[in-house]
Amino acid sequence: MTETPTRKKWKQDPEAVQANILAAAAEEFAEHGLTGARVDEIAARTRTSKRMIYYYFGDKESLYRQVLEEAYRKVRSEEAALDLTSLPPLDALRKLVEFTFDHHRANENFIRLVMIENVHKGKHLAESPLIARVNPSAIERIEDICARGQKDGSIRSDVSPHELHWLISAASFFNVSNRFSFGISFNKTLFTHDGQQKLRELTCKAVIEAARKP
Amino acid sequence: MTETPTRKKWKQDPEAVQANILAAAAEEFAEHGLTGARVDEIAARTRTSKRMIYYYFGDKESLYRQVLEEAYRKVRSEEAALDLTSLPPLDALRKLVEFTFDHHRANENFIRLVMIENVHKGKHLAESPLIARVNPSAIERIEDICARGQKDGSIRSDVSPHELHWLISAASFFNVSNRFSFGISFNKTLFTHDGQQKLRELTCKAVIEAARKP
Amino acid sequence: MTETPTRKKWKQDPEAVQANILAAAAEEFAEHGLTGARVDEIAARTRTSKRMIYYYFGDKESLYRQVLEEAYRKVRSEEAALDLTSLPPLDALRKLVEFTFDHHRANENFIRLVMIENVHKGKHLAESPLIARVNPSAIERIEDICARGQKDGSIRSDVSPHELHWLISAASFFNVSNRFSFGISFNKTLFTHDGQQKLRELTCKAVIEAARKP
Amino acid sequence: MTETPTRKKWKQDPEAVQANILAAAAEEFAEHGLTGARVDEIAARTRTSKRMIYYYFGDKESLYRQVLEEAYRKVRSEEAALDLTSLPPLDALRKLVEFTFDHHRANENFIRLVMIENVHKGKHLAESPLIARVNPSAIERIEDICARGQKDGSIRSDVSPHELHWLISAASFFNVSNRFSFGISFNKTLFTHDGQQKLRELTCKAVIEAARKP
DNA sequence: AATGAATGAGCATTCATTCAT
DNA sequence: CATGAATGAATGCTCATTCAT
């Protein structure tokens, strides 16, 4: 071996340091919210020091904003990998709902960050120019399905892609975001494996029926 | 007259002081979350002093818990006023959805408190014995609709009241809780008066179709 | 003895606590300037804690402002004790110069605070409504001397009280404020007891000659 | 041509870099004082980097000391250009006062640096061997005037050049250093163009009368 | 000669909470 | 029942300085 082993691998690799901070911050913010998160705790989750957080990100709120942006970017880019163009419209719609439902469940921290941001009334999202650029793709995909379905007669002509997206999002998001309060207040069996399969199917059917031409 | 005339009427009236604190705290917690809320700020919204908060409620977290309980109690009691027993099942269902959708919109602070509590993973709700007693009524009402509908053949026999309630809640809750992030990311017109009317109707149809016997 | 001796005499005496903080802060600010002063160090000079500084004064800059105000108030009130009305105008003028010269020497910390404030371009003084009220008295006294002197023919009719005050202040202030740099650069004997007596006399003569009717 | 063409001309030229740093530091120190000045801010005012400041000047305090020395050197060399030997003693004295008064007004940053150094009790000046060598010239000039005046009978025999210099300096320095506090406390009109002309004349007369043989 | 990255010690300030009357 | 005063333990952030190349 010619390589000298060093304890601090990332040294002199600013991008790695920043990525490391961002990841640690994402966890801390998702866990405790903007006000609840502790910069000291973020630093502790890091391979670097608190000082570097300020060196690269300025202050807590800027760091939070960048965490939020990064979370949106990552989630949207994963969604973009889903190719629905080869499926018949209603099959594509079902696949989209299933994917979205599952994807939300698999990204709890993203859900939590969005919840937290909504507690802050979307203030930081509104200040971010990136968000506007990264989100439209989600709508475009559903617009494509609607357009194809209206052409081949499988989807109603008066359907709104935005409304459809809203319904898919509401079910998929709420399913994760409110499972604590909902589970406590009502029925925890909804959040078992079987319960989740049923809610997933319920969501699929509700969305498809809302779109299908009678 | 049994009332002793005092200049400061609300003083010497522990219950009024407590109610005043609870109302002030509800606003502060709804606005800023559990960690974001400031005890000083709650005291400032109050007609009494910070010291009294500790006198009556012990600490910040206990106060928060009581605010949460009070919020649930109030909202559920308003819901209880809705009488659906005289309507045919599907009409009752529609009315229930409309009511729920509107009621959520009208109680933003309650929605915010529930969001906040979910950020805290329902920890305080789980510790509260009151919640379990106060919530089942919401399910009972929908169970009644389903039972009546299954009897008269208007509602499918395999429908689950819990799932139906979940779908109604998801749409109604998300519509309020996520309107900031959703509006910024996608389309703000969904949250205009017209947009809301359409989403309300979309929710009604989706729920009714999910329940209706084909 | 019926009185229990307590270590913290000033407890429950907010005004004493505030005065104690103000005195400690005056020393620290005079010694190190606004930026150089350390809140921890002020607290250490105090019989109370750092927390109380913030409790009563809000922040470092407000504390500094109040220290400045208090310093002006104290100095002006000491000056006010000087009664010159019974002396002939030129004798009164001499006595005023001597007093001012000595008073500046005796109040080095006040001089230092004023120097520091001038480094900050008088920003905090300008924000203080008190200063405008407390200072005019210094001018009024000299105006009175001039008026009396112009009446009895001992003082020139074109003399300006403001200019005279400026000259007295310049000599008296500079004598204290710049004695370090001046002593190092030129002659330290100016700042010995004898040297100071001569500078005091020089100032008296210069001011009197500037005012005396030829 | 002996000059090597480089894109970054001032680089590779250590003296230019140092001069650039010194100029930037002078401004920052004059503006904010020793403790108030920020090394980052000095670097930002520079055409080079923060690292170079430490490379060439060691630390903040050494840089400050050099700024101070440079300021004294520059001011004294400007003063040296004033040739008074051809004028009659009292005319020379008047010209010296006028020049000093004007020169102080024209070099506010120097005044500020001297104020700041006096706040630090002349500590850095005392450590600098250069100051002692550079300053005596100011005294020599006034000694020359006095000597000539005593010879021709226009200046009193008991006059002290050091005291005279002190009086000139006091008026000229205070006029700039304390114009903020003095203006706020008393009369801002003293610092208008007309006001300054009057104070300049007042200073001239006071100094000349102090020196003139009766 | 020159520099972007890194850092420890310190700094002003805030927060929930308790004391003493 | 009521309250102004008091407080320890953080908390976010800054500063002059040095490392590694």
Side-chain angles (χ1 to χ4, degrees):
Chain A
M1 296 291 157
T2 57
E3 197 183 331
T4 315
T6 52
R7 211 179 47 230
K8 306 178 181 179
K9 280 180 191 164
W10 45 266
K11 257 222 165 177
Q12 301 293 38
D13 184 350
E15 290 186 19
V17 174
Q18 288 172 64
N20 181 233
I21 291 171
L22 232 32
E27 282 183 31
E28 176 74 5
F29 282 128
E31 187 72 15
H32 301 288
L34 170 52
T35 16
R38 297 288 163 247
V39 178
D40 276 295
E41 192 51 38
I42 293 172
R45 288 176 192 260
T46 281
R47 253 176 277 109
T48 182
S49 70
K50 180 165 59 157
R51 188 60 192 77
M52 292 311 286
I53 294 173
Y54 288 94
Y55 183 68
Y56 283 119
F57 296 93
D59 64 12
K60 192 188 181 183
E61 211 159 348
S62 298
L63 175 59
Y64 168 77
R65 198 162 17 234
Q66 293 210 43
V67 161
L68 206 56
E69 289 185 356
E70 183 61 25
Y72 266 90
R73 199 170 359 208
K74 181 172 156 274
V75 161
R76 294 298 174 226
S77 87
E78 282 173 23
E79 288 176 359
L82 178 70
D83 182 25
L84 305 167
T85 52
S86 60
L87 294 174
L90 288 180
D91 291 354
L93 191 56
R94 165 171 282 272
K95 192 169 177 190
L96 174 63
V97 175
E98 288 173 349
F99 173 84
T100 304
F101 194 91
D102 295 343
H103 195 237
H104 274 66
R105 288 187 67 200
N107 285 278
E108 192 187 338
N109 274 359
F110 172 70
I111 303 290
R112 293 178 65 82
L113 286 170
V114 175
M115 289 168 74
I116 288 160
E117 178 58 7
N118 275 297
V119 167
H120 291 279
K121 305 194 178 180
K123 181 189 162 200
H124 313 87
L125 226 41
E127 289 170 359
S128 169
L130 183 111
I131 302 302
R133 252 182 299 132
V134 84
N135 274 315
S137 63
I139 286 294
E140 285 159 17
R141 198 174 35 230
I142 207 167
E143 282 174 336
D144 176 63
I145 293 172
C146 289
R148 290 197 290 123
Q150 285 161 348
K151 213 179 222 172
D152 76 6
S154 61
I155 285 179
R156 284 162 38 205
S157 59
D158 64 344
V159 84
S160 152
H162 276 109
E163 291 177 18
L164 234 41
H165 180 60
W166 174 91
L167 185 59
I168 299 168
S169 295
S172 302
F173 194 98
F174 180 91
N175 184 54
V176 177
S177 70
N178 284 44
R179 73 181 188 289
F180 299 105
S181 64
F182 206 86
I184 290 164
S185 294
F186 306 107
N187 201 328
K188 290 200 175 157
T189 64
L190 290 176
F191 301 99
T192 60
H193 177 76
D194 278 10
Q196 287 287 290
Q197 287 309 104
K198 284 184 179 169
L199 292 180
R200 186 180 189 252
E201 186 56 28
L202 171 66
T203 308
C204 280
K205 281 189 179 142
V207 171
I208 289 168
E209 287 315 308
R212 188 204 301 276
K213 192 160 197 168
Chain B
M1 291 291 159
T2 56
E3 198 182 329
T4 316
T6 53
R7 208 179 50 228
K8 307 175 185 177
K9 276 184 189 160
W10 59 271
K11 285 201 177 181
Q12 314 287 34
D13 181 351
E15 288 187 20
V17 174
Q18 289 174 61
N20 180 233
I21 291 172
L22 231 32
E27 279 183 33
E28 175 74 5
F29 282 126
E31 188 73 14
H32 300 290
L34 170 52
T35 32
R38 299 291 163 243
V39 177
D40 275 296
E41 193 52 38
I42 293 173
R45 288 177 190 261
T46 281
R47 254 179 277 108
T48 182
S49 72
K50 182 162 61 154
R51 190 61 193 77
M52 283 295 94
I53 294 173
Y54 286 93
Y55 188 80
Y56 285 119
F57 296 93
D59 63 12
K60 192 188 182 186
E61 212 160 349
S62 300
L63 175 59
Y64 168 77
R65 202 164 9 235
Q66 293 210 43
V67 162
L68 205 57
E69 288 184 357
E70 181 61 24
Y72 266 90
R73 205 173 317 156
K74 179 174 156 273
V75 162
R76 294 299 174 222
S77 86
E78 283 173 23
E79 287 177 0
L82 178 69
D83 182 26
L84 304 166
T85 51
S86 59
L87 293 174
L90 288 180
D91 291 354
L93 192 55
R94 165 172 282 273
K95 191 166 178 191
L96 174 62
V97 174
E98 289 173 349
F99 173 83
T100 305
F101 193 91
D102 296 343
H103 194 237
H104 275 66
R105 288 188 67 200
N107 285 278
E108 190 185 340
N109 274 359
F110 172 69
I111 303 289
R112 294 178 65 83
L113 286 170
V114 175
M115 288 169 76
I116 288 160
E117 178 58 8
N118 275 296
V119 167
H120 291 279
K121 305 193 179 180
K123 182 188 160 199
H124 314 87
L125 227 41
E127 289 170 358
S128 169
L130 186 109
I131 302 302
R133 254 182 297 129
V134 86
N135 276 312
S137 64
I139 286 294
E140 285 161 15
R141 196 172 37 227
I142 207 168
E143 281 174 337
D144 176 62
I145 292 172
C146 289
R148 290 197 289 122
Q150 285 161 348
K151 214 179 224 171
D152 76 5
S154 60
I155 284 179
R156 284 161 41 204
S157 59
D158 64 345
V159 84
S160 152
H162 276 110
E163 291 177 18
L164 232 42
H165 181 58
W166 174 91
L167 185 59
I168 298 168
S169 295
S172 302
F173 194 98
F174 180 91
N175 183 55
V176 177
S177 71
N178 284 44
R179 74 178 188 289
F180 298 106
S181 63
F182 205 86
I184 290 165
S185 296
F186 305 106
N187 200 329
K188 290 197 177 160
T189 63
L190 290 177
F191 302 99
T192 60
H193 178 75
D194 277 11
Q196 288 286 291
Q197 288 309 104
K198 285 184 179 169
L199 292 180
R200 187 181 188 252
E201 186 56 27
L202 171 66
T203 307
C204 280
K205 282 190 177 141
V207 171
I208 290 169
E209 288 313 309
R212 185 204 304 276
K213 192 158 197 170
Chain C
M1 295 291 159
T2 56
E3 197 184 330
T4 315
T6 51
R7 211 178 47 228
K8 305 179 183 178
K9 281 180 190 163
W10 44 264
K11 258 223 164 175
Q12 300 293 39
D13 184 350
E15 289 186 20
V17 174
Q18 289 172 63
N20 181 233
I21 291 171
L22 231 31
E27 282 183 31
E28 175 75 6
F29 282 128
E31 188 73 16
H32 300 288
L34 171 52
T35 18
R38 297 288 162 248
V39 178
D40 276 295
E41 193 51 39
I42 293 172
R45 288 177 192 259
T46 281
R47 253 176 280 110
T48 181
S49 70
K50 181 164 59 156
R51 188 62 191 75
M52 292 312 284
I53 295 173
Y54 287 93
Y55 183 68
Y56 282 119
F57 296 93
D59 63 13
K60 193 187 180 183
E61 210 159 350
S62 299
L63 175 59
Y64 167 78
R65 200 164 14 235
Q66 292 210 44
V67 162
L68 206 55
E69 289 185 355
E70 183 60 24
Y72 267 91
R73 201 170 356 207
K74 180 173 156 274
V75 162
R76 295 297 175 225
S77 87
E78 282 173 23
E79 287 176 359
L82 179 69
D83 181 25
L84 305 167
T85 52
S86 59
L87 295 174
L90 288 180
D91 292 354
L93 191 55
R94 166 171 283 271
K95 191 168 176 189
L96 175 63
V97 175
E98 289 174 348
F99 173 85
T100 304
F101 193 91
D102 296 343
H103 195 238
H104 275 65
R105 288 187 67 201
N107 285 277
E108 192 187 337
N109 273 359
F110 172 69
I111 304 290
R112 294 179 64 82
L113 286 170
V114 176
M115 290 169 73
I116 288 160
E117 178 58 6
N118 275 297
V119 168
H120 291 280
K121 307 194 176 179
K123 181 189 163 201
H124 314 86
L125 226 40
E127 290 170 359
S128 169
L130 183 110
I131 303 303
R133 254 181 297 131
V134 86
N135 276 315
S137 64
I139 286 294
E140 285 161 15
R141 197 173 37 227
I142 208 166
E143 281 173 336
D144 176 61
I145 293 173
C146 290
R148 289 197 292 122
Q150 284 161 349
K151 215 178 221 171
D152 75 6
S154 59
I155 284 179
R156 284 161 41 206
S157 60
D158 64 344
V159 84
S160 152
H162 277 110
E163 290 177 18
L164 234 43
H165 181 60
W166 174 91
L167 186 58
I168 300 169
S169 295
S172 303
F173 194 99
F174 180 91
N175 184 55
V176 177
S177 70
N178 284 45
R179 74 183 188 287
F180 298 105
S181 64
F182 206 85
I184 290 164
S185 294
F186 305 107
N187 200 327
K188 290 200 177 162
T189 64
L190 289 177
F191 302 98
T192 60
H193 178 75
D194 277 10
Q196 287 288 289
Q197 288 309 105
K198 285 185 179 169
L199 292 180
R200 187 180 189 252
E201 187 55 27
L202 172 64
T203 308
C204 280
K205 283 190 177 140
V207 171
I208 289 169
E209 288 314 310
R212 189 205 301 278
K213 191 161 199 168
Chain D
M1 294 294 157
T2 57
E3 198 183 329
T4 316
T6 53
R7 208 179 48 226
K8 307 175 184 178
K9 275 182 190 164
W10 58 270
K11 284 202 179 181
Q12 316 284 36
D13 181 350
E15 288 186 22
V17 173
Q18 288 174 62
N20 180 233
I21 291 172
L22 231 31
E27 282 183 32
E28 175 74 5
F29 282 127
E31 188 73 16
H32 301 289
L34 170 51
T35 31
R38 298 289 164 244
V39 178
D40 276 294
E41 193 51 38
I42 293 172
R45 288 176 190 262
T46 282
R47 252 178 278 107
T48 181
S49 73
K50 181 164 59 156
R51 191 62 193 78
M52 285 294 95
I53 295 173
Y54 286 92
Y55 187 79
Y56 284 120
F57 296 92
D59 63 12
K60 191 189 181 185
E61 212 159 350
S62 300
L63 174 59
Y64 168 77
R65 202 162 12 233
Q66 293 211 44
V67 162
L68 205 56
E69 289 185 355
E70 181 60 23
Y72 266 91
R73 205 174 316 156
K74 179 175 158 274
V75 162
R76 292 300 175 220
S77 87
E78 283 172 22
E79 286 177 0
L82 179 69
D83 182 25
L84 305 167
T85 53
S86 59
L87 293 174
L90 287 180
D91 291 354
L93 192 54
R94 165 172 283 272
K95 192 168 177 189
L96 175 62
V97 175
E98 290 174 348
F99 173 83
T100 305
F101 193 92
D102 295 343
H103 196 237
H104 275 66
R105 288 187 67 201
N107 286 276
E108 191 186 339
N109 274 0
F110 172 70
I111 304 290
R112 293 177 65 82
L113 286 170
V114 176
M115 290 169 73
I116 288 159
E117 178 58 8
N118 275 298
V119 168
H120 291 279
K121 306 192 177 180
K123 181 188 161 200
H124 313 87
L125 227 40
E127 290 170 359
S128 169
L130 187 107
I131 302 302
R133 255 181 296 130
V134 86
N135 276 312
S137 63
I139 286 295
E140 285 160 17
R141 197 174 34 228
I142 205 166
E143 281 173 336
D144 177 61
I145 293 172
C146 289
R148 290 197 290 123
Q150 285 160 349
K151 214 180 224 170
D152 75 5
S154 61
I155 283 179
R156 284 160 41 202
S157 60
D158 65 343
V159 85
S160 154
H162 276 111
E163 291 177 18
L164 235 41
H165 180 59
W166 174 91
L167 186 58
I168 299 169
S169 296
S172 302
F173 194 98
F174 181 90
N175 183 55
V176 178
S177 70
N178 285 45
R179 75 180 187 289
F180 298 106
S181 64
F182 206 86
I184 289 164
S185 294
F186 306 108
N187 201 329
K188 289 199 177 159
T189 64
L190 290 177
F191 303 97
T192 60
H193 178 76
D194 277 10
Q196 288 287 288
Q197 288 309 105
K198 286 185 179 169
L199 292 180
R200 187 183 189 250
E201 186 56 26
L202 171 66
T203 308
C204 280
K205 282 190 178 140
V207 171
I208 289 169
E209 288 313 309
R212 185 204 305 275
K213 192 161 197 170

